[in-house]
Amino acid sequence: MEKVPTICPYCGCGCGLYLHVDKGIICGVSPSRNHPVSKGSLCVKGWNCYEFIQHPDRLTKPLIRINSKEHTTSKKNPPLPPFSKGGRGGINSSLVTHNSSLFREASWDEALSYIAKKLTKIKNTSGPDSIGVLSSAKCTNEENYLMMKFARAVLGTNNIDHCARLCHSSTLGGLASTFGSGAMTNSISEIADARVIFVIGSNTTEQHPMIGMHMLDAVNRGAILMVADPRRNMIAELAHIHLKHKSGTDVALLNSIMNVIINEGLVDIAFIKRRTENFDEFEKVISKYSPDIGEAITGVSADDIRKVARMYAAETRSMLFFSMGITQHITGVDNVRACANLAMLTAHVGHAMTGLNPLRGQNNVQGSCDMGAIPEVYSGYQNVKDASARKKFEAAWGVSLPKKSGLTLIEMLNASRRNKLKAMYIMGENPVISDPDVKHTIEALKKLNFLIVQDIFMTETAKFAHVVLPAASFAEKEGTFTNTERRVQKIRKAIEPAGKAMPDWQIICELSKKMGYNMDYKAPYEVMEEIALLTPSYRGILHHRLDDGYGLQWPCTDVNHPGTQFLHRKKFARGLGSFIPVHYLPPDEQPDEKYPFILTTGRSYFQYHTGTMTRRTTTLEREQPECTVEINAEDAEQFGIKNRAKIKVSTRRGSIEAVADVTDKIIPGTIFIPFHFHEASANVLTNPALDPYAKIPEYKVCAAKVERIHEERPYIK
Amino acid sequence: MTGSNNNIYMPFKAVIEEAIDMGCNVKFFKVIPIPPHPPLSKGGRGGFIDYIPGQFFMVSQWGAGEAPISVTSTRGLQRHIEFAIKKVGAVTTVLHKLKKSDTIWLRGPYGNGFNADAAKKRDVVFIAGGIGIVPLRSLINFIQMHKKQYGKIFLLYGAKNPSEILFKEDLKAWNKKGIEITLTVDVKDESWKGNTGVVTGHLDRVKTDFKNACSYICGPDIMIEKTMKELTSRGMPDRQIITTLEARMKCGIGKCGQCYHGIEYICTNGPVYTYEEIKKRRVYGP
Amino acid sequence: MKKDLILNKNYLSYWLRQLRKEMQLIGPMRGFKGDFVFKSIGQIHEISLDCPASAPLPKEFVFPHVEEMFEKVFSEQEIKDLQNNDKRIIFGIRPCDMSAINLIDRFYSSKFESSYDLAHPNRKSEDSYYMARRRNTVFISIGCNNPDPTCFCNSVGTGPFLESGFDVQLTDLGDRYFVQTGSKAGKTITNSYRYLFEEAQRQDYDDQYEIMLSALTKFEKRINLEETRQKILAGKVRDSFWEWVSTRCFECGGCVYECPVCTCFNIVERTETDKSPRPPLRAMAFTKGGQGGIKGKRIRIWDTCFFKGFTRMAGGNIPAEKKVMRTKRWWFHKLLYYPEQFKRFGCVGCGRCTITCPGRIDIATISQKIKVEIK
């Protein structure tokens, strides 16, 4: 039995673990005792992360849709039902049914030649900007970099985006304008020594359990834990102060906290003078948000607001954490700016054990942003509109690059609906489940002339693809993941890829060769070298340096640089930190008579994202086999809903059926639905209204109604 | 087939002789076991598996998994093993799709089974709620077979509605043989002329000396709890109140730990308990 | 007179190399950056003899994460038993783990207790998979000269050295090992290479005793599980206390996965498809009645009583619905029910839950808390 050290493929914590491999079979997991994040612990998903890797559902061969017009062969040999004659051998074996659309297996050469031909044709007839590319926060840095290079250098478009658009694009946007860098400022290992921990809009103990562990350690050492969340989840139960503000009122809450800080003289004037700008204008706005006004808007008592303000401001070692609860609003960028203002106001940034810490949700969402898998920047956040940056990349890549910024994820789908976008190449993403307003997403995908999906499983999105490419999972390839604290860590190959699946980086290289651009890398470390060459913050990060350590935290500017524990030391990344005043704006949709509830969506502890991995894991699927709707007991009584009754939740966009979870963990008037379940997809309901700057949809608030269905409770698996 | 004879998890095959839909999501299966060699028990002749009322088998279908299912037949009366399976979960849903002459796989019998001796020379009161009649049917037939050793036999049987009353043929036959049967439903319809309400409300119809009678209860948790309390208040000693409990089980033989409850593995120490044992078991909580 | 042996340290690798010719050799090796892992040994000289006392868990070699039980091709009648009969030698496990394995042996080989089974004494009751692996495994344990700060085996009588219940126990006497054999299997592997060993002399016994005494002084934790048990039995530990414990539980299952004594498992089926035709697009290919599959595997997989689904019955009824009930259940099992069944605590004091529990509600911490806070 061999034990291969690697990094967990789930959340942004980036825990170290060992995959146990026996005779080519992955048979278990154990935590790494000395890893700085996990320290010998793992969460339930980490402990069970081995099971999906060799699941029988894995895609093992490239698949080409049969009813696509280009394939005349299929007309000659009409598809037969796959089970007719024993199912093995002959033509039947190569037929695959998928909800009435038919795929046939193909060789890599055929599939890639086909894609190359189609993409070239579309590029030549409709222009490069008629192609959109979605990269993946689950893939390695090297793969994201290559995907970005593929979109920009091979296809010639800046239409590249990934799911960070849906989680932390507001953080990037909000912090870029205030601090100059959109990453977590401090490190996870500092948390245990903090004195005050203020968590807003993050279910840390469930979604970043190992960060939650460090917070609990801090509490054990006497730190004060304050949580602002409309739900009373585990971290809120452990908190000393829990602010149950209404969803979508974060700006009002934060502004009134800052109002107290300013009025009570808790501001760090020296810091503001030396390190920041634009304070005066900001102060004018804040003066309008007295705690009483805050109370009226948020539902949190003015006293609690004052308490939180005093506690946060009084300690030097105060850490502020936020996550999706802040970002997934139409005011996402404003929310983030408000958080940044709060940190600057009290000098809680730029030294250890403080900072503004956005918790990233995917194992490599930080890395894929760093790698420039977003329309407006190259790797290392070098803007595509910046001529000198562009010149550098043009020189290295040997092509001329598009000057104009590209489309974001939601904009791509919208463009497709308007017939502006003809083709999409989706790597390791499942927008049908993860993007708001499923109906529109499906409509957009159906309209595409050509859709390539590259994934490890047949996802709901792959159903609409013309070509499906089988990729290797995290255990089957080399590469690096960047966790939420900017730590670039190496993952290691434990087993050979399933069937004929290939690592994503290899697929991209092969495809670009077919399209006439020679991407020639022996292994991911060569890609990393190129990344280091072109990306200042990754300059010193090379595979051989990652081999004998727990990774390096960027910025790491040369090969001897030890990595950076916390950002904005001595000065902000943009020079002076900028106070940007923000006003409270109500959510796009407010509850009304017809739709009386605020619906907020998120993740549950046992499932992960669109469930492609967790729903194929026995223990995790058993724990949360169905979609449950958290509803307050008072509301439930009013609507005659009993615990575990089947209910229907509707919004202006659609409705789903799910099981009621009557609880007192959520405030009255609000309901919560996890979005993992394709059979009851919460994103059928969500509002695709976007933040004007970051284009992040408002997942966290929409108006909904709840009805009881007179039907017996469905059985559980 | 290395070591298959020693492997306690190895199921044996059984062929479905009869599969009848009993309505309200319950399906009745009569199966002929084809036990491995040598047969599990010395007493069993070829094709027979020895079991007692109240025991259960791990019934499985390959690809779906195993589920603990109580026997409803009585050895000596029915030639085959009979199950009445309610569709409640993934395994039972798959089992419901099976037809005559299909194969299923069994392991067992497991569990302690009903202690029929406790009721010897006493009046016997059977109290069933809904699907709880299934394991009791086995015992009722057993006691009926040896009725000289027992006193009067009563059956109180409550169902959700008239259509959910199971084993109507058996009820008629038992009635003829002198078992006093009281039926009750929660929700009545036009056809129903009988009693309504919960079973505990009809205990007065059982004309017996509760202090000396013995009672076997099976049904939903709440019904069991209520009935046990009611019987105690009528003076029935705790050790004469016997019930069978339900738990999630994966192995059936006290290894997997899923049915672990208090100090007991319900699959091996149970599933049949007296009220006395249940009270003792709960000293430490769950 | 005792017949203990002495092994010159220079001969250790030769001995292990000879043993490896007969069976798989597994031992503690350096993992990534200061970690240690138990795995198949490649280079014998790379075995980490300095592996800390709270070494990673070797339980998985006798009770693996995932154990394949049966395989059945749907079109055929036969069931294939996938019992693992590989011969293994596990070097370097600690006395606490050895005691845990003895306890698991008792549990997995224990007879049924139901009245029916008492009437049928010939019924088999051994867990075939565990016992097959166990019978094919020989353990060479090493006593702990230097217990870790998390260790408290001395408080539960499972270390730092064992009196009995081992195959072979080594005690590091600096330049040589003091070798005790405690089982037939142990005697076989020493007797076959008797020429490597010398008979222990008076001096060796004295040195061994000295090492044992010095090891005992190094324990930092003094955990009295009996006192905790008495307090729980007396009803002094109230539900509000367990409520507090449970709010800190992350439901990760780590304490159970890492516990050398815990043995609960779940049995699931996996349907293997022929890759093509593929099963319909469903989230679970495991338990959907095997449509479209060609063969099914019945496997068992580690499970944890901290999960809601652990006790959930078909139909959705959950006996231990509240987290506090599940937390109590684990504690009571370890501290109350194990002593009743086996006259031993369900805890061997290895301290692994102290390391792995993200909520810091491990046995040692909570026992200490009960001791200090509850009078």
Side-chain angles (χ1 to χ4, degrees):
Chain A
M1 183 185 279
E2 187 51 42
K3 294 190 180 173
V4 183
T6 190
I7 301 299
C8 178
Y10 284 113
C11 76
C13 292
C15 300
L17 50 82
Y18 289 89
L19 283 177
H20 302 184
V21 188
D22 197 13
K23 297 172 190 135
I25 292 170
I26 299 214
C27 55
V29 162
S30 52
S32 162
R33 283 269 172 90
N34 295 305
H35 192 275
V37 178
S38 49
K39 292 188 164 168
S41 305
L42 284 177
C43 72
V44 67
K45 290 191 282 273
W47 272 110
N48 288 288
C49 76
Y50 62 96
E51 223 183 313
F52 71 89
I53 299 168
Q54 291 173 321
H55 193 277
D57 282 2
R58 278 290 299 276
L59 293 170
T60 53
K61 282 173 187 166
L63 302 173
I64 296 181
R65 180 182 288 257
I66 282 180
N67 55 5
S68 59
K69 284 164 200 156
E70 284 68 25
H71 266 266
T72 46
T73 46
S74 63
K75 282 175 190 161
K76 282 177 208 158
N77 299 319
L80 295 167
F83 294 117
S84 54
K85 277 176 190 168
R88 295 196 77 164
I91 184 169
N92 294 352
S93 68
S94 64
L95 289 173
V96 181
T97 17
H98 268 297
N99 296 16
S100 82
S101 68
L102 284 160
F103 288 97
R104 67 177 178 82
E105 287 174 352
S107 69
W108 274 109
D109 190 56
E110 187 194 353
L112 293 176
S113 306
Y114 176 47
I115 296 172
K117 198 181 86 188
K118 286 288 291 183
L119 285 182
T120 313
K121 197 175 152 198
I122 292 170
K123 182 182 166 185
N124 291 342
T125 53
S126 316
D129 285 337
S130 65
I131 305 173
V133 176
L134 292 189
S135 194
S136 172
K138 291 235 88 62
C139 292
T140 62
N141 286 324
E142 291 79 355
E143 286 159 352
N144 276 292
Y145 173 81
L146 289 184
M147 197 55 156
M148 183 274 292
K149 186 173 174 183
F150 179 80
R152 291 185 164 129
V154 183
L155 296 176
T157 175
N158 279 327
N159 291 346
I160 175 159
D161 207 355
H162 70 288
C163 72
R165 182 64 50 202
L166 309 174
C167 59
H168 270 296
S169 56
S170 14
T171 308
L172 292 182
L175 292 188
S177 50
T178 49
F179 290 177
S181 170
M184 180 162 163
T185 59
N186 288 53
S187 290
I188 294 170
S189 52
E190 295 168 18
I191 299 172
D193 295 317
R195 303 291 305 161
V196 168
I197 292 171
F198 183 24
V199 179
I200 180 162
S202 162
N203 185 0
T204 318
T205 41
E206 290 186 14
Q207 300 318 330
H208 302 87
M210 290 306 117
I211 293 178
M213 169 178 86
H214 288 262
M215 289 181 180
L216 224 59
D217 280 349
V219 171
N220 279 355
R221 297 180 189 186
I224 302 285
L225 177 62
M226 308 187 291
V227 175
D229 200 308
R231 292 168 70 208
R232 200 182 80 235
N233 38 40
M234 185 181 160
I235 183 117
E237 277 190 21
L238 294 164
H240 298 97
I241 302 177
H242 179 201
L243 309 177
K244 290 182 203 162
H245 64 303
K246 283 187 206 137
S247 288
T249 60
D250 307 84
V251 167
L253 180 68
L254 290 165
N255 276 359
S256 54
I257 288 173
M258 289 187 272
N259 179 288
V260 175
I261 290 175
I262 293 176
N263 283 339
E264 300 195 0
L266 300 166
V267 209
D268 193 315
I269 295 167
F271 185 85
I272 292 169
K273 275 190 182 155
R274 300 168 83 119
R275 306 275 295 274
T276 68
E277 60 187 16
N278 202 24
F279 178 74
D280 295 339
E281 201 184 317
F282 160 77
E283 196 185 3
K284 274 179 223 150
V285 172
I286 290 299
S287 64
K288 292 176 194 147
Y289 290 87
S290 70
D292 295 319
I293 291 175
E295 178 173 341
I297 301 173
T298 62
V300 175
S301 77
D303 274 349
D304 279 349
I305 292 175
R306 286 194 193 96
K307 253 190 239 165
V308 169
R310 287 167 198 155
M311 298 241 200
Y312 178 78
E315 278 291 346
T316 346
R317 277 144 59 177
S318 293
M319 293 183 95
L320 177 58
F321 293 86
F322 71 87
S323 194
M324 305 296 92
I326 282 291
T327 59
Q328 289 180 335
H329 291 281
I330 52 159
T331 56
V333 171
D334 287 350
N335 290 350
V336 173
R337 283 174 180 162
C339 292
N341 291 342
L342 177 58
M344 287 190 290
L345 193 61
T346 47
H348 283 140
V349 67
H351 51 107
M353 292 163 280
T354 62
L356 180 56
N357 301 291
L359 302 178
R360 309 300 300 254
Q362 301 245 28
N363 55 345
N364 196 34
V365 67
Q366 182 65 52
S368 41
C369 292
D370 298 344
M371 288 306 114
I374 25 184
E376 59 267 33
V377 293
Y378 301 118
S379 63
Y381 306 98
Q382 304 172 72
N383 204 305
V384 293
K385 287 178 189 156
D386 175 0
S388 66
R390 195 168 60 240
K391 222 172 136 190
K392 182 169 83 175
F393 280 89
E394 281 177 342
W397 293 349
V399 286
S400 69
L401 295 171
K403 296 182 179 64
K404 171 167 121 315
S405 175
L407 297 175
T408 64
L409 199 161
I410 304 289
E411 286 172 334
M412 282 185 216
L413 295 172
N414 289 342
S416 162
R417 273 208 305 281
R418 293 195 311 270
N419 288 326
K420 291 267 164 57
L421 200 77
K422 304 288 183 199
M424 269 181 99
Y425 181 4
I426 301 178
M427 170 170 84
E429 291 230 335
N430 193 4
V432 169
I433 305 288
S434 62
D435 291 11
D437 201 351
V438 173
K439 238 193 288 171
H440 274 124
T441 311
I442 290 177
E443 195 188 309
L445 293 176
K446 276 186 175 164
K447 274 212 167 167
L448 291 170
N449 289 356
F450 195 58
L451 173 63
I452 310 151
V453 173
Q454 181 172 317
D455 212 308
I456 61 171
F457 289 110
M458 193 73 189
T459 61
E460 288 72 13
T461 306
K463 254 177 12 180
F464 300 98
H466 298 88
V467 183
V468 181
L469 299 176
S473 72
F474 80 107
E476 300 160 345
K477 62 188 178 191
E478 302 270 323
T480 56
F481 286 158
T482 308
N483 80 350
T484 184
E485 52 163 358
R486 301 166 274 107
R487 187 184 294 278
V488 185
Q489 308 183 88
K490 228 181 126 184
I491 58 163
R492 289 172 186 80
K493 183 173 173 174
I495 48 164
E496 288 303 318
K500 294 212 168 103
M502 277 208 287
D504 297 271
W505 66 269
Q506 232 169 335
I507 301 174
I508 299 165
C509 289
E510 294 301 319
L511 180 60
S512 80
K513 276 181 206 160
K514 295 257 184 219
M515 291 187 69
Y517 182 90
N518 192 23
M519 275 195 202
D520 194 12
Y521 303 95
K522 227 190 267 164
Y525 68 83
E526 284 195 5
V527 185
M528 200 66 191
E529 250 169 24
E530 189 175 312
I531 297 170
L533 177 79
L534 293 168
T535 318
S537 55
Y538 275 67
R539 188 141 296 151
I541 299 178
L542 294 166
H543 275 207
H544 70 267
R545 288 193 72 194
L546 305 174
D547 270 333
D548 48 348
Y550 294 111
L552 292 164
Q553 286 173 283
W554 67 259
C556 176
T557 45
D558 68 71
V559 285
N560 296 315
H561 193 286
T564 309
Q565 191 193 334
F566 57 89
L567 302 177
H568 312 304
R569 186 177 188 172
K570 292 184 185 164
K571 71 179 180 78
F572 281 98
R574 72 183 287 277
L576 288 177
S578 170
F579 280 102
I580 301 178
V582 288
H583 284 280
Y584 166 69
L585 280 175
D588 184 61
E589 244 184 26
Q590 292 277 31
D592 51 29
E593 261 175 33
K594 218 173 155 205
Y595 295 95
F597 285 97
I598 293 178
L599 165 68
T600 179
T601 65
R603 290 188 197 154
S604 80
Y605 178 46
F606 293 99
Q607 296 284 2
Y608 186 80
H609 231 64
T610 67
T612 47
M613 296 170 356
T614 50
R615 299 204 76 190
R616 288 179 172 89
T617 305
T618 327
T619 309
L620 300 176
E621 174 68 0
R622 184 191 66 185
E623 287 314 298
Q624 177 103 31
E626 56 190 354
C627 182
T628 52
V629 181
E630 277 183 20
I631 180 166
N632 186 280
E634 281 173 35
D635 295 332
E637 204 185 310
Q638 192 191 334
F639 286 82
I641 294 164
K642 284 201 179 122
N643 196 18
R644 307 210 52 72
K646 202 165 186 195
I647 57 171
K648 185 173 160 186
V649 182
S650 325
T651 64
R652 291 191 170 82
R653 289 150 296 278
S655 60
I656 61 164
E657 287 175 12
V659 176
D661 177 8
V662 178
T663 173
D664 56 352
K665 294 197 171 180
I666 190 158
I667 53 172
T670 303
I671 55 173
F672 172 83
I673 306 181
F675 72 100
H676 318 287
F677 303 92
H678 59 86
E679 66 273 21
S681 177
N683 282 326
V684 167
L685 308 171
T686 46
N687 185 359
L690 300 181
D691 178 285
Y693 311 101
K695 317 283 186 205
I696 190 168
E698 188 154 56
Y699 286 110
K700 292 294 180 209
V701 188
C702 68
K705 68 175 174 192
V706 172
E707 292 158 279
R708 185 176 56 165
I709 303 177
H710 291 279
E711 199 182 307
E712 270 196 22
R713 202 194 61 75
Y715 72 83
I716 296 178
K717 284 173 205 130
Chain B
M1 296 265 283
T2 44
S4 61
N5 283 337
N6 292 319
N7 190 338
I8 51 171
Y9 296 99
M10 175 67 83
F12 56 86
K13 211 186 317 181
V15 178
I16 297 175
E17 175 77 5
E18 222 176 280
I20 306 162
D21 200 345
M22 301 175 82
C24 60
N25 275 335
V26 182
K27 204 161 177 179
F28 179 80
F29 292 96
K30 196 183 261 187
V31 302
I32 309 176
I34 306 169
H37 298 286
L40 281 179
S41 96
K42 283 177 189 161
R45 283 160 291 152
F48 283 88
I49 295 284
D50 185 18
Y51 63 90
I52 59 173
Q55 287 198 300
F56 63 92
F57 284 84
M58 296 299 291
V59 180
S60 62
Q61 171 68 0
W62 286 91
E66 291 183 306
I69 308 280
S70 302
V71 284
T72 187
S73 52
T74 312
R75 213 170 104 65
L77 186 67
Q78 280 96 357
R79 240 192 102 227
H80 310 310
I81 301 178
E82 294 172 0
F83 300 106
I85 301 173
K86 187 167 186 174
K87 196 200 281 187
V88 281
V91 182
T92 45
T93 306
V94 172
L95 290 175
H96 263 233
K97 289 180 188 148
L98 298 176
K99 314 173 293 293
K100 185 178 155 56
S101 71
D102 281 346
T103 311
I104 57 167
W105 296 80
L106 302 178
R107 261 190 315 129
Y110 295 133
N112 55 358
F114 286 112
N115 174 13
D117 291 349
K120 271 194 181 155
K121 298 189 184 116
R122 298 179 196 274
D123 285 358
V124 193
V125 187
F126 292 102
I127 303 169
I131 190 82
I133 189 72
V134 171
L136 287 185
R137 174 178 178 254
S138 176
L139 184 65
I140 295 171
N141 278 326
F142 180 87
I143 287 186
Q144 172 66 32
M145 273 164 68
H146 306 93
K147 71 175 170 195
K148 279 176 197 156
Q149 298 173 23
Y150 300 90
K152 278 169 89 181
I153 307 172
F154 301 89
L155 169 63
L156 247 174
Y157 177 20
K160 216 178 254 172
N161 56 55
S163 66
E164 293 203 1
I165 292 177
L166 304 170
F167 298 115
K168 292 194 176 98
E169 300 290 312
D170 291 80
L171 291 172
K172 273 180 208 157
W174 291 336
N175 204 7
K176 269 185 204 156
K177 286 179 183 158
I179 298 179
E180 282 187 32
I181 300 176
T182 310
L183 296 179
T184 171
V185 295
D186 290 350
V187 188
K188 64 173 177 181
D189 59 15
E190 302 82 46
S191 66
W192 187 252
K193 304 259 165 10
N195 306 310
T196 55
V198 289
V199 279
T200 39
H202 298 284
L203 269 175
D204 285 341
R205 290 167 194 271
V206 178
K207 302 278 183 255
T208 179
D209 174 16
F210 280 99
K211 288 190 186 67
N212 284 313
C214 186
S215 167
Y216 295 93
I217 312 162
C218 187
D221 277 357
I222 308 166
M223 170 257 174
I224 292 179
E225 212 177 308
K226 267 191 179 167
T227 314
M228 288 195 299
K229 280 186 185 143
E230 184 66 30
L231 288 172
T232 319
S233 73
R234 284 165 194 259
M236 192 179 276
D238 287 350
R239 97 187 78 85
Q240 278 151 248
I241 305 173
I242 297 166
T243 186
T244 160
L245 299 180
E246 197 190 7
R248 179 186 165 98
M249 293 172 193
K250 282 292 175 182
C251 69
I253 44 183
K255 308 290 181 205
C256 75
Q258 309 243 347
C259 68
Y260 190 77
H261 203 263
I263 188 163
E264 316 255 322
Y265 288 87
I266 290 179
C267 61
T268 55
N269 302 108
V272 177
Y273 290 98
T274 64
Y275 195 22
E276 193 182 20
E277 288 166 332
I278 288 175
K279 276 183 176 168
K280 212 160 60 180
R281 235 160 49 83
R282 292 210 169 140
V283 172
Y284 309 142
Chain C
M1 185 58 200
K2 290 185 210 163
K3 280 174 284 175
D4 294 327
L5 302 170
I6 289 295
L7 176 67
N8 187 317
K9 274 195 174 173
N10 295 317
Y11 302 161
L12 177 70
S13 62
Y14 180 83
W15 183 41
L16 293 178
R17 199 176 304 283
Q18 299 311 312
L19 292 174
R20 190 166 65 171
K21 289 178 182 164
E22 297 160 32
M23 39 194 138
Q24 273 184 46
L25 178 62
I26 287 153
M29 303 279 279
R30 279 212 172 267
F32 186 63
K33 241 222 153 186
D35 286 345
F36 293 89
V37 289
F38 266 92
K39 62 180 186 185
S40 303
I41 289 168
Q43 299 293 336
I44 286 182
H45 67 266
E46 284 179 5
I47 297 177
S48 301
L49 296 170
D50 56 342
C51 175
S54 59
L57 188 66
K59 174 173 83 172
E60 61 185 307
F61 296 100
V62 277
F63 176 53
H65 271 249
V66 181
E67 171 117 49
E68 296 188 334
M69 303 173 80
F70 301 109
E71 181 178 273
K72 183 169 184 304
V73 177
F74 291 148
S75 56
E76 287 167 14
Q77 297 293 326
E78 288 278 283
I79 307 173
K80 201 168 142 203
D81 193 336
L82 301 173
Q83 206 164 288
N84 183 307
N85 288 312
D86 293 352
K87 289 208 177 302
R88 289 187 185 83
I89 186 153
I90 299 181
F91 174 81
I93 85 161
R94 295 298 181 179
C96 53
D97 288 327
M98 200 59 232
S99 314
I101 281 165
N102 290 330
L103 195 54
I104 303 180
D105 286 351
R106 284 171 68 189
F107 172 71
Y108 268 151
S109 62
S110 63
K111 282 274 171 205
F112 297 110
E113 281 170 29
S114 80
S115 48
Y116 177 85
D117 293 293
L118 293 175
H120 296 79
N122 291 331
R123 273 245 298 219
K124 298 275 190 305
S125 56
E126 280 180 0
D127 185 284
S128 333
Y129 297 94
Y130 174 80
M131 291 313 284
R133 281 176 181 268
R134 180 67 183 88
R135 289 200 180 98
N136 287 308
T137 308
V138 187
F139 293 98
I140 301 177
S141 47
I142 302 181
C144 299
N145 296 9
N146 292 302
D148 273 356
T150 48
C151 293
F152 58 99
C153 56
N154 63 331
S155 316
V156 281
T158 57
F161 299 90
L162 287 182
E163 296 281 316
S164 61
F166 45 81
D167 291 330
V168 176
Q169 178 172 263
L170 307 183
T171 307
D172 191 341
L173 301 183
D175 57 341
R176 63 204 192 279
Y177 284 112
F178 185 82
V179 184
Q180 292 158 290
T181 49
S183 74
K184 224 173 124 186
K187 286 206 171 68
T188 313
I189 59 166
T190 46
N191 285 347
S192 315
Y193 303 96
R194 184 64 180 76
Y195 56 96
L196 298 174
F197 300 89
E198 292 161 43
E199 217 158 89
Q201 304 302 318
R202 182 72 203 222
Q203 183 62 41
D204 301 319
Y205 282 101
D206 287 349
D207 287 354
Q208 186 231 4
Y209 183 67
E210 154 64 24
I211 291 279
M212 204 172 76
L213 280 183
S214 84
L216 282 172
T217 61
K218 290 176 188 161
F219 281 94
E220 288 177 21
K221 281 206 155 88
R222 290 278 181 276
I223 305 294
N224 191 342
L225 291 183
E226 182 54 31
E227 191 189 332
T228 314
R229 182 175 111 93
Q230 291 303 339
K231 279 186 177 164
I232 295 174
L233 281 176
K236 286 183 183 161
V237 187
R238 298 199 185 279
D239 273 6
S240 55
F241 179 80
W242 295 117
E243 201 72 66
W244 175 86
V245 173
S246 74
T247 54
R248 301 177 63 103
C249 174
F250 280 65
E251 290 178 84
C252 64
C255 50
V256 174
Y257 292 140
E258 285 273 276
C259 179
V261 181
C262 278
T263 53
C264 288
F265 59 83
N266 189 6
I267 298 179
V268 294
E269 307 255 316
R270 280 183 190 173
T271 309
E272 275 186 25
T273 54
D274 191 13
K275 298 297 171 198
S276 63
R278 216 163 287 277
L281 185 72
R282 296 292 282 270
M284 288 281 287
F286 290 169
T287 57
K288 279 291 183 290
Q291 299 107 319
I294 54 154
K295 61 182 179 184
K297 263 187 189 163
R298 190 162 288 174
I299 60 158
R300 73 182 195 191
I301 177 167
W302 283 4
D303 207 346
T304 309
C305 50
F306 280 96
F307 297 149
K308 249 187 200 175
F310 185 77
T311 54
R312 186 181 56 218
M313 290 178 258
N317 188 10
I318 307 172
E321 173 124 40
K322 284 189 186 144
K323 202 149 89 175
V324 57
M325 290 161 92
R326 303 195 295 273
T327 314
K328 258 165 88 173
R329 187 182 149 112
W330 186 73
W331 275 87
F332 286 11
H333 193 179
K334 296 242 171 266
L335 295 187
L336 305 184
Y337 306 140
Y338 263 105
E340 273 189 52
Q341 267 181 305
F342 298 108
K343 310 281 173 252
R344 303 278 303 261
F345 283 111
C347 169
V348 290
C350 67
R352 288 195 186 89
C353 51
T354 311
I355 296 168
T356 206
C357 180
R360 312 295 180 225
I361 45 165
D362 50 279
I363 291 242
T365 311
I366 294 303
S367 264
Q368 199 59 31
K369 204 173 166 69
I370 289 177
K371 183 183 176 153
V372 174
E373 291 183 7
I374 296 170
K375 294 292 169 206

